[in-house]
Amino acid sequence: VAGEETVILKSVTDEPVGGVVWAPDNPGTALMHQILPGLMLIALISFFAAGVILNRARLSNEALHSSRANIRFLAYHDALTGLANRSRFLAQLRHGDRRPDQYLLYMDLDGFKEANDVYGHATGDDLLVEAGRRIQRSTPPGSTVARTGGDEFAVLLPGGAPDEPQRTADRVLAAFEPPFHVSSYSVNIGVTIGVARREARLEAEEVMRRADV
């Protein structure tokens, strides 16, 4: 049998009378039996460690992409209201599609500074957020709505009917008639609206200045 050794026992007359058969120890096999559990444990630990490293690398990569997206978003949006910021609004005025029937609405909140002083900055922030929502809900689809300053907002209408600026302004004014329920307070603030036509010969800042007059 493979792996076994045999010794034949003979009589004094040299005749076989018996034999001894045994399987000798194989040092290599015995050593393998001793270290195999350890090797398997090391392989298992390495497998899980590789999985942890790959998962952390994936999460780090996702966090990096998310961070970049947040940076891009904050570069062109107001951090408080989520609306476009002044930089994005001016870029839209400078480089967006120019149409002869486009108008810009510029808005100042009436009574906001007083409310902010009386009720505190946290309530003031809530007022700005809700004001942005009311303005955005009052504008037609395709409009660019921005918070351009402390209590100043602007809307670039996409164009359309000649009376769209007036109708949009009327909707915004109506949206500000109900009181603002913020931070357990009921606050009344109004809005002043200026309108300017977007003309190709005018710089973006000049269009905003005309609407703010």
Side-chain angles (χ1 to χ4, degrees), residues 128-151:
L128 291 172
V129 172
E130 180 58 25
R133 289 172 180 163
R134 294 190 184 190
I135 293 170
Q136 195 167 35
R137 288 196 295 263
S138 303
T139 58
S143 302
T144 300
V145 183
R147 180 188 173 207
T148 56
D151 62 345

Side-chain angles (χ1 to χ4, degrees), residues 3-26:
E4 293 183 350
E5 293 190 5
T6 304
V7 174
I8 304 300
L9 301 178
K10 297 182 180 180
S11 66
V12 293
T13 60
D14 202 29
E15 295 180 358
V17 295
V20 178
V21 179
W22 77 95
D25 289 336
N26 188 324

Side-chain angles (χ1 to χ4, degrees), residues 4 9 20 45 54 73 93 99 122 131 145 153 164 176 198:
E4 293 183 350
L9 301 178
V20 178
I45 293 174
L54 290 174
F73 181 85
L93 278 176
R99 295 179 53 177
V145 183
F153 295 82
E164 185 58 55
F176 275 72
R198 183 186 185 189

Side-chain angles (χ1 to χ4, degrees), residues 1-190:
V1 178
E4 293 183 350
E5 293 190 5
T6 304
V7 174
I8 304 300
L9 301 178
K10 297 182 180 180
S11 66
V12 293
T13 60
D14 202 29
E15 295 180 358
V17 295
V20 178
V21 179
W22 77 95
D25 289 336
N26 188 324
T29 302
L31 181 61
M32 181 59 70
H33 288 166
Q34 292 176 5
I35 67 173
L36 185 60
L39 291 175
M40 293 179 65
L41 179 60
I42 292 173
L44 187 62
I45 293 174
S46 299
F47 175 78
F48 280 109
V52 170
I53 292 172
L54 290 174
N55 187 56
R56 287 184 176 179
R58 178 182 62 80
L59 293 176
S60 297
N61 189 52
E62 290 177 354
L64 179 61
H65 283 293
S66 176
S67 177
R68 288 176 177 173
N70 288 335
I71 291 173
R72 286 194 297 270
F73 181 85
L74 292 175
Y76 295 105
H77 291 81
D78 176 55
L80 179 63
T81 62
L83 299 174
N85 59 17
R86 186 181 185 88
S87 296
R88 182 183 174 188
F89 193 79
L90 286 172
Q92 181 71 15
L93 278 176
R94 293 187 185 112
H95 309 297
D97 294 336
R98 294 179 180 271
R99 295 179 53 177
D101 57 348
Q102 278 190 306
Y103 285 83
L104 184 152
L105 277 62
Y106 206 87
M107 309 174 193
D108 288 307
L109 302 187
D110 301 329
F112 170 78
K113 291 182 174 62
E114 293 77 9
N116 192 57
D117 292 338
V118 171
Y119 300 108
H121 295 299
T123 299
D125 287 347
D126 292 340
L127 282 172
L128 291 172
V129 172
E130 180 58 25
R133 289 172 180 163
R134 294 190 184 190
I135 293 170
Q136 195 167 35
R137 288 196 295 263
S138 303
T139 58
S143 302
T144 300
V145 183
R147 180 188 173 207
T148 56
D151 62 345
E152 299 174 350
F153 295 82
V155 176
L156 180 62
L157 298 175
D163 63 342
E164 185 58 55
Q166 183 62 55
R167 291 194 288 119
T168 300
D170 289 341
R171 288 195 298 269
V172 173
L173 291 171
F176 275 72
E177 290 179 358
F180 287 69
H181 298 287
V182 292
S183 304
S184 74
Y185 300 109
S186 181
V187 184
N188 288 289
I189 61 173

